[in-house]
Amino acid sequence: MQFVNYDGLKDNMLRITDILDKTQAYLPPEDQEMIEKAYIFSASVHQGQLRLSGEPYLTHPMEVAGMLADMKLDAATIITGLLHDTVEDTLTTTAQIEAAFGKDVAFLVDGLTKISKITLGSQEERQAENFRKMILAMSADLRILVVRLADRIHNMRTLNYQPPDKQKYIATETLDLYAPLANRLGINWMKVELEDLSFRYLENDAYSELSRRIEKKQEQRDQYTAEVKGVIAKEIAKHGLKGEVEGRAKHFYSIYMKMQNQRIDFDEVYDLIAFRIVLDTDKDRDCYEALSIVHALWKPVPGRFKDRIAMPKANGYRSLHTTVIGPYGERVEIQIRTREMHEWAEEGIAAHWRYKEKRANLGTEDQQIMKLRELLDVQQEVDNPREFMANLKLALFPDEVYVFTPNGDVQAFPKGATPLDFAYSIHTDVGHQCIGAKVNRSIVPLKYELQNGDTVEIITQTGHHPGKDWLKWAVTSRARSKIKNWIKTEERKRSIEIGREILDREFKKHSLKLSQLLKSEDLKKLYEEHNVNSPDDVMALVGYGRLSAKHIVNRFLPEIAPKTEEAFIDKPARKAKSAPSLGISLTGIEDVLVKMARCCDPIPGDEIVGYISRGRGITIHTVQCTNVQELDPERVIEVSWNIKDKQTYSVDIRVVCKDKKGVIADVSSVISAMDINISHAEVETTPELQAICNFRIDVHDLKQFNQVVAAVKKVKCVISIERLKKS
Ligand code: MN
């Protein structure tokens, strides 16, 4: 097994004899002659032209024709490969081509000339129009598309000779259009190579990093691959099936996309190697037998079996797919197919053309070709360029969703994207201030998954900002990085604020002033010790719990008291001061640095304290919370509520009632009638025939909570109600 390395391209030029050697196996002598004639023609008109690499221009059509010969395509296609740039780049006319090589070749070359004159540009309408022209030219004969793909592959292989801006442009176009087209034609090797080459030029750092990491454990992987292959091959043979087992590494781009889509690290990509059983048979049922052999050998992972024989992909691809738990408890992906399915999987339409000649009756594959043509042809009917783009993209990228802006512009998102992704794609501020969206005119929550064809309108509110759950809902890297950035900036602002208050208080406690620190030499020492360079940085460290305020103040005290004593003194001091002193004011649950403790669920109105958890901001507990007593008193701070928004806080209650039918409904209807949400309810009956109901309710503050308690108490049959503490 070997990862493809595109660096080691041969510098020795492909010769016409090499191409003729390839075609001789399947083409008659008269075709061979025409190919040679095309070579001489191409060589003479391209005479003197050089590529950016400094090589004679002829190397390019030769390489293209060589690829087409490897795919065993017909003579007209190979001749077109040799001539594809003659009308575009030399004085040759289509009429000359037709006179020398016939109508068929002239038509194909003309199609390629048309495509090469079209540049996609960026403005949407122009781009749509040009895309349309390009697709039309290619759909006239699918061979035009295949030659164009071979042309693009060679251009991508030699892209390093282009200036950087052109590299990016060509690579983007390749990834957007040509790789998906190769996929639609079912030509897997072209798709894979086009994707990897584009990836290399578009995300160079990620590409290098990935290739470095893949190389690192190559030897280990080779060993593993050989072992798994051996086990499968032996088992298959034992059951009398003939065939070959392959283990190959997935291509870079697919690994990269997997990491991106699932937001995982390289080490978490378990299936770098995909195994494949190619059976020497023409019976589908042998594939199913091989599948049962594999499943008997290793346990299948539920939900991972895909029958692509019974349900082929749109591009005609057929195979069985399964994932099993391999010899080391790892997941192993295995594909099972016949030789013919395999050829189709790798070469797609090119394989089809070959089999077409051999066979009288054509089954499913012909339908696949019809579908492909439909995809390319249907576009002719469309006048609206926007609609055209939407249709085309839908056909080319089934893993994306296409939605409309209120103006009718098309936007593409990965499957699973939400209104947040849409909002951030418009503008960062639209994202930050997004409070909801209208999809097809009805209001949807932020976590709504966008569907194809949705018209999306974002609702914003000035002053609104990202919430806690946003990172769970945003899918696109743009949205995610903007949200993360906001949180980071906010965390810093808030930790400076909190740090200053904590320090100020700590200094005052020792009758010192914070300004003494700011003027002192000790500040510079702190900078050095903690690798920071401003007073704000120091405050932030304190606020974020990375540096203790006490530790700083101690530098200004004549002597350091022993630790135990200090703790002893500190605790009563805190209690005595708790009434008059001003603490950190909490702005609400969206406060990035502040979290409500889950053990005591504080709600506004409760007496509370804050605890600086190292590197994680402040956790708020109720004063009564038993956990607080066990916390390091040095890191306990005073806090007070300062809630402006009407936010709700969850709190658990336990209601004990006489177990009478309907009593639970009575209790919950009383709570609901107060417009209070019940997020969780649980009932159990005791042997004494009492019903114990646990509710989790969302209230604004203690006052409202007490109203709930009073109202519930009035319900008939209720024996008691209490607020639950989990500690
Ligand atoms: Mn070319």
Side-chain angles (χ1 to χ4, degrees):
M1 178 202 60
Q2 197 64 59
F3 279 93
V4 188
N5 182 355
Y6 302 110
D7 280 323
L9 289 174
K10 44 183 175 288
D11 41 26
N12 54 324
M13 195 179 151
L14 192 69
R15 290 169 200 287
I16 187 59
T17 48
D18 301 329
I19 294 174
L20 292 173
D21 280 348
K22 294 177 204 275
T23 54
Q24 174 193 312
Y26 68 98
L27 289 179
E30 58 270 29
D31 282 350
Q32 297 272 95
E33 266 169 48
M34 282 303 262
I35 292 171
E36 200 166 357
K37 188 176 154 192
Y39 161 71
I40 293 163
F41 185 97
S42 186
S44 74
V45 296
H46 284 303
Q47 174 95 55
Q49 292 179 339
L50 294 178
R51 302 200 86 217
L52 284 179
S53 62
E55 288 177 306
Y57 194 86
L58 190 64
T59 55
H60 170 65
M62 292 288 283
E63 287 290 342
V64 172
M67 268 182 253
L68 300 168
D70 282 333
M71 295 165 82
K72 298 199 176 62
L73 296 177
D74 67 359
T77 309
I78 294 163
I79 292 168
T80 302
L82 287 167
L83 302 176
H84 78 273
D85 279 332
T86 55
V87 176
E88 169 70 5
D89 291 340
T90 74
L91 297 171
T92 311
T93 62
T94 314
Q96 279 174 287
I97 303 267
E98 187 175 333
F101 302 97
K103 268 205 163 107
D104 200 16
V105 171
F107 180 73
L108 297 178
V109 173
D110 185 51
L112 282 149
T113 309
K114 283 187 182 132
I115 299 169
S116 63
K117 281 185 183 147
I118 303 164
T119 49
L120 289 178
S122 54
Q123 209 206 320
E124 195 187 281
E125 292 220 359
R126 205 181 61 219
Q127 194 187 0
E129 192 44 39
N130 289 337
F131 248 125
R132 201 162 82 90
K133 281 187 198 152
M134 203 181 254
I135 296 286
L136 280 181
M138 294 191 288
S139 68
D141 190 316
L142 288 178
R143 288 176 298 177
I144 296 174
L145 179 47
V146 176
V147 177
R148 180 61 171 174
L149 288 171
D151 177 33
R152 181 52 60 112
I153 286 210
H154 187 243
N155 285 334
M156 285 301 292
R157 283 180 186 167
T158 51
L159 198 61
N160 55 322
Y161 297 106
Q162 295 282 354
D165 57 324
K166 223 162 168 205
Q167 288 177 347
K168 288 255 176 297
Y169 175 80
I170 293 173
T172 306
E173 193 186 72
T174 302
L175 202 56
D176 283 352
L177 181 66
Y178 290 104
L181 278 173
N183 184 40
R184 286 312 299 233
L185 294 185
I187 312 174
N188 188 54
W189 72 268
M190 280 187 156
K191 171 195 167 230
V192 163
E193 188 172 343
L194 290 173
E195 282 181 350
D196 272 0
L197 285 166
S198 306
F199 173 40
R200 177 176 167 176
Y201 286 97
L202 291 174
E203 302 280 346
N204 194 261
D205 292 347
Y207 180 94
S208 313
E209 168 72 7
L210 197 57
S211 74
R212 191 185 60 76
R213 298 187 74 165
I214 283 171
E215 245 165 61
K216 225 169 116 190
K217 288 187 178 164
Q218 185 70 47
E219 207 175 302
Q220 242 171 291
R221 263 198 308 273
D222 285 347
Q223 219 175 347
Y224 167 79
T225 309
E227 185 190 333
V228 173
K229 268 166 66 175
V231 175
I232 299 176
K234 207 174 130 196
E235 209 59 26
I236 294 281
K238 219 161 79 186
H239 286 77
L241 289 174
K242 286 203 182 83
E244 211 179 324
V245 184
E246 298 170 4
R248 90 208 135 82
K250 295 198 168 163
H251 70 296
F252 284 19
Y253 188 67
S254 69
I255 297 170
Y256 177 69
M257 285 314 281
K258 188 161 205 164
M259 289 163 61
Q260 292 287 302
N261 291 339
Q262 304 183 1
R263 291 176 219 125
I264 53 176
D265 192 56
F266 177 78
D267 299 320
E268 297 170 81
V269 181
Y270 58 82
D271 46 2
L272 284 178
I273 300 155
F275 292 89
R276 181 186 292 153
I277 304 169
V278 181
L279 295 168
D280 293 321
T281 176
D282 51 11
K283 293 187 200 84
D284 290 358
R285 77 178 127 85
D286 287 344
C287 297
Y288 293 98
E289 198 191 333
L291 178 79
S292 67
I293 293 168
V294 169
H295 281 181
L297 192 59
W298 292 308
K299 214 171 134 193
V301 177
R304 297 283 308 190
F305 169 62
K306 274 196 204 109
D307 189 344
R308 287 292 187 193
I309 292 179
M311 281 167 292
K313 281 193 192 177
N315 64 10
Y317 172 90
R318 300 202 303 151
S319 263
L320 298 179
H321 288 194
T322 188
T323 303
V324 295
I325 304 294
Y328 301 99
E330 78 293 7
R331 286 172 169 229
V332 184
E333 256 186 41
I334 300 172
Q335 304 168 344
I336 302 166
R337 49 174 80 149
T338 65
R339 180 77 48 199
E340 187 184 334
M341 290 174 197
H342 180 56
E343 276 179 41
W344 176 271
E346 282 306 299
E347 298 178 63
I349 197 168
H352 168 74
W353 284 329
R354 280 208 297 284
Y355 276 100
K356 198 174 165 179
E357 281 151 30
K358 280 194 214 155
R359 279 216 217 147
N361 68 331
L362 290 158
T364 47
E365 287 104 66
D366 243 18
Q367 284 173 22
Q368 299 307 331
I369 298 299
M370 294 285 286
K371 274 191 205 155
L372 263 173
R373 278 197 189 283
E374 249 169 55
L375 154 74
L376 298 172
D377 287 348
V378 73
Q379 317 299 346
Q380 301 185 37
E381 316 291 326
V382 179
D383 324 306
N384 181 342
R386 282 192 180 125
E387 203 178 313
F388 164 80
M389 284 300 269
N391 286 340
L392 177 67
K393 285 181 170 171
L394 205 60
L396 289 181
F397 303 96
D399 291 337
E400 298 193 344
V401 287
Y402 296 90
V403 298
F404 294 92
T405 67
N407 299 331
D409 293 332
V410 183
Q411 300 272 346
F413 293 94
K415 269 214 169 110
T418 62
L420 282 176
D421 296 296
F422 189 95
Y424 278 101
S425 78
I426 302 170
H427 192 275
T428 306
D429 288 338
V430 176
H432 286 348
Q433 299 182 2
C434 175
I435 54 164
K438 276 191 200 165
V439 166
N440 308 327
R441 292 174 187 215
S442 31
I443 293 196
V444 297
L446 286 178
K447 62 179 173 191
Y448 169 84
E449 264 189 37
L450 299 177
Q451 305 294 318
N452 270 316
D454 280 351
T455 299
V456 185
E457 195 180 338
I458 297 297
I459 309 167
T460 59
Q461 191 185 330
T462 321
H464 191 74
H465 51 69
K468 286 194 228 176
D469 294 323
W470 286 27
L471 282 176
K472 281 191 233 156
W473 301 332
V475 172
T476 52
S477 54
R478 178 183 162 84
R480 294 180 62 79
S481 75
K482 297 287 179 194
I483 296 167
K484 279 187 193 154
N485 253 334
W486 186 89
I487 292 174
K488 231 171 151 181
T489 318
E490 214 51 27
E491 264 180 2
R492 179 171 161 79
K493 270 201 275 183
R494 190 71 179 130
S495 41
I496 292 170
E497 211 175 286
I498 290 173
R500 178 170 287 120
E501 288 201 53
I502 295 172
L503 270 174
D504 191 45
R505 199 178 51 134
E506 201 60 39
F507 272 84
K508 276 187 186 140
K509 209 151 93 183
H510 297 278
S511 308
L512 296 166
K513 277 186 180 156
L514 181 55
S515 54
Q516 281 176 271
L517 167 68
L518 300 179
K519 283 180 218 149
S520 77
E521 278 301 305
D522 280 287
L523 191 62
K524 299 219 174 66
K525 275 188 210 149
L526 277 175
Y527 289 173
E528 270 171 42
E529 283 166 30
H530 296 277
N531 198 20
V532 294
N533 49 28
S534 75
D536 275 357
D537 290 342
V538 174
M539 310 283 177
L541 284 174
V542 174
Y544 210 53
R546 292 216 162 94
L547 180 59
S548 110
K550 202 146 230 148
H551 169 81
I552 297 177
V553 174
N554 279 343
R555 294 165 177 258
F556 294 85
L557 298 174
E559 64 195 60
I560 297 158
K563 220 180 165 135
T564 46
E565 197 180 330
E566 202 181 293
F568 178 71
I569 294 167
D570 196 63
K571 217 166 182 177
R574 175 175 59 83
K575 276 194 177 150
K577 282 176 77 185
S578 68
S581 139
L582 264 175
I584 309 288
S585 73
L586 302 180
T587 51
I589 47 168
E590 295 293 337
D591 195 323
V592 289
L593 269 194
V594 178
K595 289 169 193 68
M596 297 299 144
R598 301 292 294 274
C599 48
C600 51
D601 289 328
I603 54 175
D606 283 336
E607 252 190 279
I608 45 173
V609 289
Y611 180 72
I612 308 176
S613 36
R614 221 158 252 146
R616 277 186 285 119
I618 296 167
T619 313
I620 305 300
H621 294 264
T622 62
V623 171
Q624 293 88 0
C625 180
T626 47
N627 284 347
V628 175
Q629 314 304 323
E630 283 152 35
L631 298 175
D632 177 3
E634 278 197 28
R635 295 204 265 141
V636 175
I637 55 163
E638 284 145 38
V639 287
S640 63
W641 298 97
N642 176 23
I643 307 295
K644 284 178 216 115
D645 301 349
K646 272 290 178 190
Q647 284 163 338
T648 59
Y649 297 78
S650 293
V651 56
D652 289 316
I653 54 171
R654 169 170 294 171
V655 183
V656 181
C657 350
K658 289 178 199 145
D659 186 21
K660 247 182 83 184
K661 249 192 192 158
V663 73
I664 294 139
D666 289 349
V667 171
S668 52
S669 74
V670 162
I671 298 174
S672 302
M674 300 176 74
D675 204 19
I676 285 165
N677 180 48
I678 302 174
S679 56
H680 181 82
E682 213 175 63
V683 187
E684 59 181 283
T685 313
T686 67
E688 295 82 41
L689 290 179
Q690 287 182 339
I692 298 177
C693 323
N694 291 333
F695 294 98
R696 189 162 178 83
I697 58 172
D698 302 332
V699 295
H700 293 301
D701 52 25
L702 191 60
K703 197 176 142 207
Q704 196 184 28
F705 176 77
N706 289 335
Q707 286 165 354
V708 174
V709 172
V712 171
K713 269 185 180 162
K714 280 187 200 146
V715 177
K716 254 196 210 168
C717 309
V718 168
I719 299 165
S720 69
I721 170 169
E722 61 174 332
R723 184 164 164 187
L724 269 190
K725 294 192 178 63
K726 276 162 249 163
S727 55

